[in-house]
Amino acid sequence: MRFIIQRDSLLQSVQDVMKAVTSRTTIPILTGIKIVANEEGVTLTGSDSDISIESFIPKEEAGDEIVEIKQPGSIVLQARFFSEIVKKLPTDSVEIEVHNNLQTVIRSGKSEFNLNGLDAEEYPHLPQISEEHVFKIPTDLLKGLIRQTVFSVSTSETRPILTGVNWKVENNELICIATDSHRLALRKAKLEADNTGSYNVVIPGKSLTELSKILDDSSESVDIVITENQVLFKAKHLLFFSRLLEGNYPDTGRLIPSESKTDVVVNTKEFLHAIDRASLLAREGRNNVVKFSTIEGGAIEVSSNTPEIGTVVEEIQSQSIDGEELKISFSAKYMMDALKALEGTEIQISFTGAMRPFVIRPLHDDSILQLILPVRTY
Amino acid sequence: MRFIIQRDSLLQSVQDVMKAVTSRTTIPILTGIKIVANEEGVTLTGSDSDISIESFIPKEEAGDEIVEIKQPGSIVLQARFFSEIVKKLPTDSVEIEVHNNLQTVIRSGKSEFNLNGLDAEEYPHLPQISEEHVFKIPTDLLKGLIRQTVFSVSTSETRPILTGVNWKVENNELICIATDSHRLALRKAKLEADNTGSYNVVIPGKSLTELSKILDDSSESVDIVITENQVLFKAKHLLFFSRLLEGNYPDTGRLIPSESKTDVVVNTKEFLHAIDRASLLAREGRNNVVKFSTIEGGAIEVSSNTPEIGTVVEEIQSQSIDGEELKISFSAKYMMDALKALEGTEIQISFTGAMRPFVIRPLHDDSILQLILPVRTY
């Protein structure tokens, strides 16, 4: 193998596939990046066997030559060293040449690296996915869907299925749900294409987080292919594979109350900042719990009290309070996570009593909701 | 005590004095910030007993009222909570009021904090320093002096005196020296004032690092007062006290070779980047050592070799090589630290053989030098 490549294109691709590479793998060759050069260009692959990322660098783009292939071939190079080297090479043009003994020479200006490569034939194959059913989502919407749900997945392996986000496709609608059993995030989106099929799968939260980091903020579409045990996201010059979690996701539908006894509308930012301050003195306590109560004059009081340190009381003027008076306690962290995930300047919180889960929604937007279970303190 | 203060001024002062506060102290009251309000304004103090920082907020500045003193007094508040609270208060104007039982109320908008305070009488007194002999250094020069030497102090407590920077004042010149016994950094500066006295003290590296973080980049002067066991830096509205290290600093004068056998002049950045790349494969090895040799045609070769990973060879064109041919090995980290500390586009490296310390200087600048001990590998 021998080719000459533009450093910046190579670096971008290396950094993309590095997102899948971990040093904590039981399969030694997966600490490397696979590089394949053929007549069309150069393909890089990184994988930790859960996530696999393939990035393609075409020979030409927008009329500029990016890669000049001198001789097709393939190699696996240690990801950590290769990525550090590419980042620091002195010139725009980089030559990569593999000798018969897998020794790989990287040349740039007067800098010459000689790395011990591994045989690309020994690199695991990527999943074979037949692309019969594909649905499309604009990249920026996809990133939003991920951002607004993935924070609610469980970080504990006690119930592995809860470490993933439940994706359901039905009637041309995608519903994403994440819950760690103390809170839940739900986001819906209409799919444009007809006949998108029906799916009900659980994608690991970590995979979605890494996918989100790689995708550009653009309105171009990502193609999504779901099979029995894999999901494939296809963006421009990029393939992102993730395994799916096995098992049935709990039915969360009945968790979400359909009625409410107290409805409060507040300014999102004002409320977020007040919760943030109220939690400053609550962090020492066991779980960062603040008290919330409706008070006279359409206002809300949020407070916390840690005897050794002191107390804090925040008053927030609401836009409206309808229904019963309420005193309730909840995790300030869960509330702040939920508020940060919501869009819109005003939110509505719907309570059905001090011991029941409550729901936070942007005003006039049904596509997203956040649910939080209260804590018993009052 | 009761006063109303501008949040941003308070926050700046809190963040300055926080640099001296540590949670790892054996004196519980030092986890707090002392606040004293009198007719002139508000004074904040933080200390870890090695470093003490006092920041003064005047009643008025540039015609603007910053503090309105309602009742003089003092209190000590938990630094970590107080600083977090001040950072997040909702309005520009903040009221702080101490009740008889040391309960302290912080009010801002509709936010009200109630903190348990400590008696300011129990806060340790700052060192009393008589200001008979003061010398002045422009702030930007002082920050340069610190930056160019402090990285060379020892991080090991085996020889505690080497964790400090040796400051010598003599004949209106300040000489700063730091060494960890593997490398040495030296920086001289002319002092403007006459009759600055003679000193030879050792200032803890940590103190200088913290001082440097607090000082603005300005050309205003800092007053420096040195006593037997303390140094005081006085900037505008800021006092920074540090204890001095006890013991005699080693005589480093004879370490610095006065002659050389090989002199190499290279571009600083080119050389730095080549060393950086050459060290990429050397980090796995025991101490990040690279090989340096003069080669034909006025060039230099820097290389490293880690059998399991690979080799790298960098060639750098020198401006000039005078004297004997040379092969030498040294720590890439020490060389990069030294090169980053030097100013100027070209540097001269003066060697006196493969086993002797060598000196790096900017071309045409005698005020600074970096010395590195080689490693035996050739």
Side-chain angles (χ1 to χ4, degrees), chain A residues 78 80-81 84-85 88-90 110-116 273 276-278 280-281 283-284 306-317, chain B residues 78 80-81 84-85 88-90 110-116 273 276-278 280-281 283-284 306-317:
Chain A
Q78 283 303 308
R80 189 156 59 91
F81 293 104
E84 282 294 306
I85 289 167
K88 294 185 169 172
L89 288 175
K110 292 196 167 179
S111 174
E112 184 173 309
F113 287 82
N114 217 307
L115 291 183
N116 308 337
H273 292 155
D276 191 10
R277 285 190 297 271
L280 281 176
L281 302 188
R283 283 181 200 159
E284 292 295 279
T306 306
E308 316 86 73
I309 302 154
T311 58
V312 48
V313 179
E314 295 280 337
E315 193 181 313
I316 306 114
Q317 193 57 41
Chain B
Q78 283 304 309
R80 192 157 57 92
F81 293 105
E84 282 293 307
I85 290 167
K88 294 185 168 170
L89 288 174
K110 293 198 166 176
S111 173
E112 184 173 309
F113 287 83
N114 216 306
L115 291 183
N116 307 337
H273 292 155
D276 191 9
R277 285 190 297 270
L280 281 176
L281 302 189
R283 281 178 201 160
E284 292 294 279
T306 304
E308 316 85 75
I309 303 154
T311 59
V312 47
V313 179
E314 293 281 336
E315 192 179 314
I316 306 114
Q317 193 57 41

Side-chain angles (χ1 to χ4, degrees), chain B residues 177-346:
Chain B
I177 298 170
T179 179
D180 59 7
S181 77
H182 302 291
R183 54 167 165 183
L184 177 147
L186 180 150
R187 176 75 158 87
K188 299 179 198 173
K190 285 272 165 237
L191 300 176
E192 280 168 38
D194 299 331
N195 187 21
T196 49
S198 291
Y199 305 95
N200 187 343
V201 296
V202 185
I203 306 175
K206 179 173 178 298
S207 301
L208 293 170
T209 304
E210 295 302 330
L211 172 64
S212 189
K213 286 183 202 160
I214 293 183
L215 294 174
D216 294 331
D217 285 300
S218 78
S219 55
E220 278 189 57
S221 276
V222 176
D223 285 5
I224 302 174
V225 188
I226 294 175
T227 70
E228 206 182 329
N229 54 15
Q230 288 279 334
V231 56
L232 166 59
F233 297 88
K234 294 175 70 175
K236 194 182 171 203
H237 296 158
L238 192 83
L239 301 182
F240 186 104
F241 298 82
S242 169
R243 78 179 168 93
L244 298 174
L245 291 178
E246 281 175 41
N248 291 317
Y249 200 79
D251 177 16
T252 54
R254 63 202 161 76
L255 269 179
I256 300 162
S258 49
E259 296 178 338
S260 65
K261 291 185 180 164
T262 314
D263 287 291
V264 177
V265 176
V266 284
N267 177 286
T268 315
K269 272 204 179 156
E270 260 179 51
F271 189 55
L272 173 61
H273 292 155
I275 297 279
D276 191 9
R277 285 190 297 270
S279 77
L280 281 176
L281 302 189
R283 281 178 201 160
E284 292 294 279
R286 36 191 183 102
N287 43 15
N288 201 0
V289 170
V290 294
K291 295 181 176 188
F292 172 108
S293 56
T294 54
I295 57 173
E296 280 168 24
I300 294 162
E301 192 180 274
V302 178
S303 65
S304 80
N305 176 8
T306 304
E308 316 85 75
I309 303 154
T311 59
V312 47
V313 179
E314 293 281 336
E315 192 179 314
I316 306 114
Q317 193 57 41
S318 72
Q319 314 286 326
S320 68
I321 301 183
D322 293 319
E324 300 174 2
E325 284 183 13
L326 180 83
K327 284 180 190 295
I328 193 169
S329 296
F330 50 78
S331 154
K333 178 179 184 303
Y334 291 170
M335 179 57 89
M336 289 194 281
D337 285 348
L339 294 172
K340 285 174 194 162
L342 294 174
E343 280 153 8
T345 49
E346 261 135 43

Side-chain angles (χ1 to χ4, degrees), chain A residues 136-150:
Chain A
K136 289 173 188 291
I137 300 182
T139 308
D140 40 12
L141 175 59
L142 176 60
K143 291 182 77 163
L145 289 170
I146 295 172
R147 186 181 67 81
Q148 293 173 325
T149 52
V150 78

